[in-house]
């Protein structure tokens, strides 16, 4: 299975900012299933994965499948996906989908390892739209399987303001 990550124009790679830190955005990405034993976790991975998160990943992988391949370098060192690997092991899977990223320097690999986790944390929720989406799927999907705590779901679905946001 192949996925193309092609830019809209020939100059798209030039629009990426940073001193010599970008790789060719137009590289073709190929998904390859690999044995868990072939993959090498990064010993200095700064991201931690509590048991609760691994359990949530197991539920997600069971419910939706392995929709986000593990990113590796050509030597199969994990760049992103350490938590997914732990969940796959807990599930007893023998192989997982991977994408080998070529052309990254060791510094870029380390930076991507951090950015892959941090950048997504910088987003937020439009709680009105989230409430609508959760309400629409509540009859078909167990909302607690989406990674929200019971308290978070109560706040979002109640249409009341979050008590943690109150100014005192």
């Amino acid at each position: 299975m192949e996925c193309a990550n092609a830019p809209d124009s020939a100059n798209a790679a030039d629009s990426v900012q940073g001193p010599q830190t970008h790789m060719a955005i137009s590289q073709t990405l190929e998904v390859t299933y690999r044995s868990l034993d072939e993959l090498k976790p990064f010993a200095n991975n700064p991201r931690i994965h509590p048991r609760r998160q691994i359990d949530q990943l197991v539920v997600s992988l069971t419910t939706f499948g392995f929709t986000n391949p593990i990113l590796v370098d050509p030597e199969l060192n994990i760049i992103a996906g350490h938590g997914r690997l732990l969940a796959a092991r807990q599930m007893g899977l023998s192989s997982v989908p991977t994408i080998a990223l070529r052309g990254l320097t060791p510094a870029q690999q380390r930076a991507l390892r951090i950015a892959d986790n941090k950048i997504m944390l910088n987003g937020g929720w439009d709680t009105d739209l989230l409430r609508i989406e959760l309400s629409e799927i509540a009859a078909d999907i167990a909302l607690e399987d989406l990674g929200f705590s019971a308290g978070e779901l109560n706040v979002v679905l109640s249409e009341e303001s979050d008590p943690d946001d109150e100014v005192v």
Side-chain angles (χ1 to χ4, degrees):
M1 173 190 299
E2 288 190 5
C3 302
N5 185 11
D8 291 336
S9 73
N11 295 327
D14 295 334
S15 68
V16 178
Q17 299 298 311
Q20 304 169 3
T21 59
H22 63 275
M23 61 185 253
I25 292 176
S26 62
Q27 112 177 7
T28 298
L29 302 177
E30 183 178 323
V31 175
T32 303
Y33 281 77
R34 299 189 190 280
S35 164
L36 301 184
D37 296 333
E38 292 180 79
L39 303 178
K40 304 169 196 164
F42 182 63
N44 289 335
N45 183 28
R47 188 69 171 171
I48 57 171
H49 300 284
R51 167 73 40 213
R52 180 172 184 247
Q53 183 198 29
I54 301 305
D55 292 344
Q56 291 171 332
L57 285 167
V58 166
V59 169
S60 180
L61 293 172
T62 302
T63 303
F64 305 113
F66 220 111
T67 61
N68 191 2
I70 294 174
L71 303 180
V72 296
D73 69 13
E75 289 78 40
L76 304 182
N77 296 297
I78 296 176
I79 297 172
H82 290 82
R84 294 187 296 280
L85 176 65
L86 293 171
R89 286 196 178 164
Q90 183 172 310
M91 295 170 69
L93 298 180
S94 59
S95 65
V96 293
T98 65
I99 295 175
L101 299 179
R102 302 183 194 316
L104 293 176
T105 67
Q108 288 172 322
Q109 290 177 20
R110 294 175 98 147
L112 178 54
R113 211 171 266 120
I114 295 166
D116 184 69
N117 286 290
K118 177 57 179 142
I119 291 173
M120 74 89 187
L121 293 175
N122 293 339
W125 294 102
D126 178 317
T127 53
D128 292 331
L129 292 176
L130 179 59
R131 180 180 309 107
I132 291 167
E133 287 299 304
L134 292 174
S135 298
E136 291 286 326
I137 63 173
D140 301 313
I141 300 290
L143 298 182
E144 60 273 8
D145 291 348
L146 302 179
F148 292 98
S149 69
E152 289 171 321
L153 288 171
N154 287 337
V155 168
V156 171
L157 295 173
S158 73
E159 297 189 32
E160 295 176 15
S161 63
D162 186 339
D164 290 341
D165 292 338
E166 268 185 47
V167 176
V168 281

